[in-house]
Amino acid sequence: MVTFLPARPGPLADVPSFDRAIGGAESNVACTLARAGHRARWVSRVGADGFGDHLVRTIAAYGVDISAVERDPERPTGIYFRTDGERATGAADPAAHPSGLSEVLYYRAGSAASAMSPATVPPQAVHAGQVLHLTGITAALSADCLALLRALTSARTPAGSGAGPGPLVSFDVNYRVGLWRTPTAPRAGAEVLRELARHSDIVFVGEDEAAAVWGVTGGPEAVREVLREPAVLVVKQGAAGATAFVGDGPAVFAPALSVDVVSPVGAGDAFAAGFLSGTLRGLPVCERLRHGHLMAAAALTDAGDLAEPPAREVADRLVALDDESWGRLRLGPGWTARGAQAAAAGRPDNPGEEECLS
């Protein structure tokens, strides 16, 4: 989508002008992975309009392969307007814009992206990589989009393709109240999101999301009890950190970093990109979590949905800190440009192997 950000703080009704940016969970992840040194492809549909031109050009400039993006001559590119703040995950009405919550208005019905379906997405475009990343946002856009996600999660390897095992399917629940707001949609959304998660290999879900959409409380272990199927389950716990479950192994917890927050938008997508980057590199689970926290810290200290991630060598250096030094780090705006100095400031002379709590 094209995102419109208020030029000044305040409710949308009082903002006189907006700055144009790009948004979208899947494209955010693709852009961040590309900037982190991975090959990434974005598969989508945009309108044959100026906003579509802007999206394609901007995402390509991040180093993302946009060859599988289709232009729709009949449907417009989706847009949305938002203020800064956390997105609502419960029953709160965003129109009331309670303190701390972002006010969000979506204009996506009938958009080009909502017309994605199993018939419009070439199998070779989505099965060529090592990881296929999906989110629950796409499932909420239309019946055709839901059919596409069901097809992608229910069949790891396309029938008769001869391609061998398909990619790992990564799924971020990404529950959005504003996209499931009809009288029957919240209940249907809960069932759909659980179904898609159960058919995926790697699942990301916030502890607050699990409570809002499925009524699951009691911590990460309780979430794992209702999502036993994914090989890897990552439960994000906000400012506290994140817990990962791999197979039947013990939970692995990595605390989040202290961050001077500029805007919380995009942090979840950045975390997923960091974790997936570590997965592609074959890193231990704890290191994957720490890379997720570093990518999230880059997003949290930037005003837009996308932020420049730390250089890989800087991120690796920070990830290798011992627990005490990791806990002493505090990151603020511009820290990725000063990453080497930040690492040196917190890094012990002879760092040992980092330890995570399990």
Side-chain angles (χ1 to χ4, degrees):
M1 300 170 296
V2 168
T3 305
F4 287 94
L5 309 175
R8 71 183 190 194
L12 292 177
D14 299 335
V15 175
S17 61
F18 297 81
D19 296 321
R20 184 187 64 181
I22 67 170
E26 296 88 349
S27 57
N28 285 347
V29 171
C31 289
T32 304
L33 282 170
R35 281 293 174 90
H38 299 279
R39 288 182 297 170
R41 170 184 291 164
W42 180 49
V43 181
S44 190
R45 289 173 70 87
V46 299
D49 50 32
F51 287 154
D53 294 341
H54 173 65
L55 278 173
V56 171
R57 284 200 304 258
T58 304
I59 292 171
Y62 278 87
V64 175
D65 176 359
I66 47 85
S67 61
V69 177
E70 295 187 347
R71 307 301 296 268
D72 191 326
E74 298 179 358
R75 299 174 181 85
T77 301
I79 63 173
Y80 84 122
F81 296 78
R82 70 165 174 83
T83 59
D84 283 334
E86 297 283 358
R87 289 189 173 101
T89 55
D93 182 1
H97 44 84
S99 177
L101 289 183
S102 176
E103 188 181 1
V104 180
L105 293 178
Y106 292 101
Y107 296 91
R108 305 191 72 177
S111 68
S114 72
M116 288 189 296
S117 72
T120 64
V121 175
Q124 64 272 20
V126 292
H127 289 284
Q130 297 180 57
V131 173
L132 171 62
H133 183 69
L134 312 168
T135 82
I137 295 174
T138 302
L141 297 183
S142 68
D144 282 342
C145 283
L146 175 55
L148 173 62
L149 261 65
R150 280 176 165 154
L152 294 174
T153 56
S154 64
R156 302 290 198 278
T157 305
S161 68
L168 290 173
V169 176
S170 167
F171 179 70
D172 192 335
V173 171
N174 251 330
Y175 178 57
R176 295 287 182 266
V177 175
L179 295 176
W180 299 99
R181 202 182 286 162
T182 66
T184 59
R187 183 170 181 179
E191 296 170 358
V192 163
L193 294 172
R194 184 178 297 184
E195 170 199 339
L196 295 173
R198 284 176 167 170
H199 285 92
S200 300
D201 300 300
I202 304 171
V203 173
F204 300 93
V205 63
E207 197 172 20
D208 57 344
E209 286 179 308
V213 70
W214 299 316
V216 177
T217 58
E221 288 76 12
V223 180
R224 184 56 163 169
E225 282 302 311
V226 300
L227 286 178
R228 302 296 305 180
E229 295 84 357
V232 178
L233 172 67
V234 180
V235 181
K236 298 173 289 184
Q237 298 164 263
T243 298
F245 300 88
V246 179
D248 295 324
V252 177
F253 173 77
L257 294 159
S258 296
V259 176
D260 296 326
V261 177
V262 173
S263 172
V265 179
D269 301 330
F271 179 91
F275 188 90
L276 292 176
S277 175
T279 300
L280 288 165
R281 296 173 62 195
L283 300 180
V285 174
C286 183
E287 294 184 19
R288 300 180 203 179
L289 289 169
R290 283 193 171 188
H291 275 286
H293 288 318
L294 286 170
M295 294 291 196
L300 288 167
T301 53
D302 188 89
D305 279 25
L306 282 167
E308 185 68 28
R312 180 175 290 188
E313 61 272 17
V314 172
D316 286 345
R317 202 171 163 192
L318 291 171
V319 164
L321 294 173
D322 61 43
D323 289 346
E324 182 179 355
S325 298
W326 175 265
R328 287 203 306 264
L329 286 175
R330 185 175 186 89
L331 305 175
W335 75 270
T336 55
R338 302 188 301 272
Q341 291 86 342
R347 187 175 186 271
D349 293 334
N350 296 295
E353 182 178 351
E354 56 87 15
E355 298 178 354
C356 281
L357 305 178
S358 62

